[in-house]
């Protein structure tokens, strides 16, 4: 039995950076640190960090003064920084630099009188964060058709940004439609290529192997997307850890491909690979 690993699998640059920063901070402190929202969508990783002293809360109000809070890679709105400062809470900012860039665009253009349009999911923490840098006043759209329902003013100034994980085809089609409707609009392509690269690697590897194993949280949407891509090509098993692997099923295949969602830590991927190689 041979194992092949996708070229791009597991943590992206921004998540790896954030997780390393959080771990480093936890090692420095005796009393632990708070995280505003789950650090990552991976049960095993969160519980490893909680054992080291991470305390997850949903509201800044749940954090006492003089404590420290980790801002996740998704980022947050400007008000969280202001409120933290006012409450004497120390901010450990692990926001991905690519997301930070969107925050500065939203702030800069909103200050110059542009109306910000965001392509993304209005309930996603990244989009909520972006909206928090332009007075919570952004127009948020998820599909091309939604443009028809918008009350746009052709004489106003607009600036378009996107959630980092959206599809480039969707972005391009929205740019085309808005260019026809508006006279003064600035387009900022803020898509991050990490998601696309991971999907491309999974697809390419699926063509070379007899089955795929996709490692990632059951509730992780990017992991599910990888599962769907692989399943369209070869038999695919979705697991959170090595314990969910079925040895008898795997023995039916000669070459096994492995990939992992963006929130799957390296140590879980390594455990799966070691387990398959030991069969
Ligand atoms: Fe950052 Fe891209 Fe990952 S925006 S958090 S590197 S998907």
């Amino acid at each position: 039995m041979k194992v092949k690993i996708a070229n791009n699998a597991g943590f992206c640059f921004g998540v790896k950076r954030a997780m390393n920063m959080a771990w480093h901070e936890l090692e420095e402190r005796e009393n632990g640190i708070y995280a505003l929202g789950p650090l990552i969508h991976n049960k095993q990783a969160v519980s490893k960090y909680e054992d080291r002293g991470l305390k997850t809360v949903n509201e800044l109000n749940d954090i006492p003064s003089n404590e420290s809070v980790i801002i996740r890679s998704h980022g947050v709105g400007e008000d969280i920084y202001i409120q933290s400062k006012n409450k004497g809470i120390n901010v450990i900012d692990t926001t991905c630099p690519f997301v930070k860039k969107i925050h500065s665009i939203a702030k800069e253009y909103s200050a110059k009188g542009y109306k910000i349009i965001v392509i993304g999911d209005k309930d996603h923490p990244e989009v909520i964060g972006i909206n928090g840098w332009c007075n919570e006043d952004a127009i948020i759209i998820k599909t091309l058709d939604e443009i028809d329902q918008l009350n746009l003013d052709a004489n106003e100034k607009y600036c378009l940004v996107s959630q980092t994980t959206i599809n480039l085809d969707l972005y391009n089609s929205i740019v085309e439609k808005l260019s026809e409707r508006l006279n003064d609009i600035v387009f900022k392509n803020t898509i991050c290529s990490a998601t696309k690269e991971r999907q491309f690697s999974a697809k390419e590897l699926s063509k070379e192997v007899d089955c795929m194993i996709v490692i990632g949280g059951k509730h992780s949407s990017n992991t599910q997307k990888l599962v769907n891509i692989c399943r369209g090509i070869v038999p695919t098993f979705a697991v959170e850890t090595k314990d969910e692997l079925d040895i008898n099923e795997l023995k039916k295949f000669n070459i096994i491909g492995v990939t992992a969602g963006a929130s799957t830590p390296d140590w879980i991927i390594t455990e799966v690979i070691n387990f398959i190689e030991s069969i």
Side-chain angles (χ1 to χ4, degrees), residues 85-245:
K85 195 168 175 211
N86 292 344
K87 272 192 82 179
I89 295 170
N90 171 44
V91 170
I92 298 156
D93 191 358
T94 76
T95 307
C96 175
F98 299 138
V99 178
K100 272 264 176 230
K101 171 108 190 292
I102 311 177
H103 294 171
S104 32
I105 294 170
K107 188 174 164 97
E108 180 193 335
Y109 280 86
S110 156
K112 285 193 217 162
Y114 286 74
K115 185 99 183 150
I116 308 296
I117 305 177
V118 185
I119 310 173
D121 177 351
K122 67 175 173 32
D123 299 320
H124 192 284
E126 183 187 319
V127 175
I128 295 170
I130 295 167
N131 198 14
W133 288 88
C134 50
N135 310 314
E136 316 252 326
D137 196 24
I139 299 168
I140 303 165
I141 51 170
K142 207 178 168 184
T143 63
L144 183 65
D145 294 342
E146 282 172 55
I147 295 176
D148 296 329
Q149 273 105 56
L150 297 178
N151 195 10
L152 298 171
D153 180 348
N155 299 315
E156 263 222 63
K157 295 188 287 187
Y158 292 88
C159 172
L160 179 87
V161 294
S162 62
Q163 189 178 335
T164 51
T165 47
I166 68 144
N167 177 290
L168 182 63
D169 290 340
L170 173 68
Y171 174 83
N172 286 335
S173 59
I174 288 178
V175 165
E176 198 183 324
K177 195 159 181 173
L178 287 174
S179 309
E180 289 163 7
R181 298 267 308 266
L182 299 168
N183 299 323
D184 193 352
I185 177 158
V186 175
F187 296 110
K188 298 280 183 185
N189 179 346
T190 50
I191 298 174
C192 168
S193 58
T195 310
K196 206 175 151 209
E197 283 164 7
R198 200 175 293 101
Q199 291 173 0
F200 178 76
S201 302
K203 190 173 176 184
E204 291 305 297
L205 183 59
S206 299
K207 294 176 194 164
E208 295 172 23
V209 296
D210 301 321
C211 78
M212 283 292 290
I213 294 172
V214 181
I215 317 161
K218 295 271 183 287
H219 302 292
S220 151
S221 61
N222 76 81
T223 303
Q224 285 317 308
K225 180 88 187 161
L226 291 177
V227 171
N228 294 339
I229 289 169
C230 299
R231 232 170 231 160
I233 303 170
V234 280
T236 298
F237 307 99
V239 296
E240 286 195 355
T241 66
K242 71 170 180 36
D243 301 330
E244 291 172 26
L245 289 169

Side-chain angles (χ1 to χ4, degrees), residues 11 42 44-46 48-49 264-272:
F11 284 175
N42 183 283
Q44 293 77 17
V46 169
K48 182 177 168 187
Y49 278 64
T264 308
D266 287 352
W267 52 273
I268 293 186
I269 304 174
T270 307
E271 273 181 9
V272 168

Side-chain angles (χ1 to χ4, degrees), residues 238-257:
V239 296
E240 286 195 355
T241 66
K242 71 170 180 36
D243 301 330
E244 291 172 26
L245 289 169
D246 182 337
I247 299 180
N248 293 327
E249 268 301 311
L250 289 180
K251 279 183 176 166
K252 294 178 189 165
F253 304 98
N254 288 324
I255 309 176
I256 298 178

